[in-house]
C-alpha cells in the first residue's frame, strides 16, 4: 500500500548519476533515483507539475529541496 501512495522514481538502465543525484538498487533489482543516498518518491495525489500536497504527510514525507 505504501508504494501505491508513494511510487519510487524509477531510473532507466541508461541513466547515470549526476552530482548529488544517485541511483540505488531496490529489493528486486529495480533502479531508483536518490538524492544524497536518500530514495526519491512521487506522491500519487499530485497530478500537476509543481503540486506538493504530500509535503509533511504523517510528519515524515518532505519535498526534496536540493
Amino acid at each position: 500500500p505504501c508504494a501505491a501512495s508513494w511510487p519510487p522514481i524509477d531510473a532507466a538502465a541508461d541513466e547515470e548519476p549526476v552530482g548529488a543525484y544517485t541511483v540505488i538498487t531496490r529489493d528486486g533489482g529495480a533502479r531508483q533515483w536518490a538524492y544524497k543516498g536518500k530514495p526519491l518518491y512521487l506522491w500519487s495525489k499530485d497530478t500537476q507539475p509543481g503540486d506538493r500536497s504530500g509535503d509533511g504527510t504523517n510528519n515524515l514525507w518532505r519535498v526534496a529541496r536540493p
Side-chain angles (χ1 to χ4, degrees):
C2 188
S5 294
W6 299 97
I9 300 177
D10 294 330
D14 63 343
E15 292 181 308
E16 296 293 328
V18 176
Y21 290 92
T22 58
V23 176
I24 60 173
T25 303
R26 295 176 53 82
D27 293 343
R31 292 168 35 101
Q32 179 179 357
W33 281 105
Y35 181 73
K36 294 186 177 180
K38 295 183 179 186
L40 294 174
Y41 299 88
L42 300 171
W43 172 232
S44 62
K45 295 180 182 178
D46 287 345
T47 59
Q48 300 293 317
D51 284 354
R52 50 181 197 249
S53 63
D55 190 26
T57 299
N58 294 332
N59 201 27
L60 174 67
W61 298 94
R62 298 283 178 221
V63 170
R65 292 182 175 90

